[in-house]
Amino acid sequence: MAETIANWFVTNLQGTISRELIVFLVSLLPILELRGGIIAGFALQMEWLPTFLISYIGNLLPIPFILLFIRYIFRVLKKTPLRGFVAWCERKAEQKSDQIRKYAYWGVFLFVAIPLPGTGAWMGALISVLLNMDPKKTFPVIMVGVLTAGIIVSVLSFGLLGSLL
């Protein structure tokens, strides 16, 4: 799914804005995050290191805001027509929280580092907030998790796919 959405951005924005900005915007978004940014950079035939760095920064940029303000944002949104979306986010986070609940900060790391659908920095940050984990401890763990996921996805995209194409 991330690949399909990332390719949509590439197809529809290529030539309109820079390749780097496309990668950055894709990596900012939930669901796509760093994985989508790296896939977009590969599709745009960028070099792996700039793709990796832009995706890493783009993916991490929203995380402190999630860690610090998501409770307030959710409280406000629950009073709007978006309350169903907030409830959905909270349900998703609760469904995926067992690993983090069991292993605490190691669980956050594993959840963010293993690039599977439904995992990543956004959901890891949301779950850690809902579990009342310390944001000052959680953010560095998420940073290392995103770094690990980025290495894995880069090797798969630029290494494996690059050698096949």
Side-chain angles (χ1 to χ4, degrees):
M1 181 162 127
E3 184 177 350
T4 304
I5 298 170
N7 284 327
W8 181 91
F9 275 88
V10 169
T11 303
N12 290 289
L13 296 178
Q14 190 172 13
T16 308
I17 59 177
S18 72
R19 298 180 308 170
E20 293 80 7
L21 186 55
I22 293 171
V23 169
F24 182 73
L25 292 173
V26 168
S27 65
L28 276 172
L29 298 172
I31 300 171
L32 298 178
E33 301 190 39
L34 169 122
R35 296 177 294 259
I38 291 173
I39 291 168
F42 178 77
L44 290 164
Q45 299 177 334
M46 289 177 59
E47 295 293 319
W48 78 267
L49 186 57
T51 298
F52 178 86
L53 293 174
I54 293 166
S55 298
Y56 183 76
I57 293 166
N59 192 186
L60 287 178
L61 192 64
I63 302 309
F65 300 100
I66 294 169
L67 291 171
L68 297 173
F69 303 118
I70 199 66
R71 285 188 187 278
Y72 173 76
I73 292 167
F74 276 7
R75 203 169 33 250
V76 170
L77 290 177
K78 284 179 179 178
K79 298 174 186 172
T80 73
L82 293 173
R83 65 184 160 276
F85 173 72
V86 172
W88 178 82
C89 288
E90 289 175 332
R91 276 193 313 276
K92 277 290 194 198
E94 181 58 37
Q95 290 169 354
K96 295 181 178 286
S97 67
D98 289 342
Q99 177 184 13
I100 293 175
R101 188 176 280 120
K102 184 175 180 180
Y103 299 107
Y105 296 99
W106 279 107
V108 173
F109 167 75
L110 290 171
F111 188 85
V112 174
I114 300 171
L116 295 172
T119 67
W122 279 72
M123 188 60 74
L126 178 58
I127 293 169
S128 70
V129 168
L130 295 177
L131 295 177
N132 297 310
M133 297 174 80
D134 182 355
K136 290 178 189 168
K137 292 179 183 175
T138 304
F139 186 63
V141 171
I142 290 174
M143 289 176 67
V144 176
V146 171
L147 180 68
T148 305
I151 291 168
I152 293 168
V153 175
S154 292
V155 166
L156 293 174
S157 295
F158 285 88
L160 259 148
L161 284 177
S163 66
L164 294 174
L165 299 176

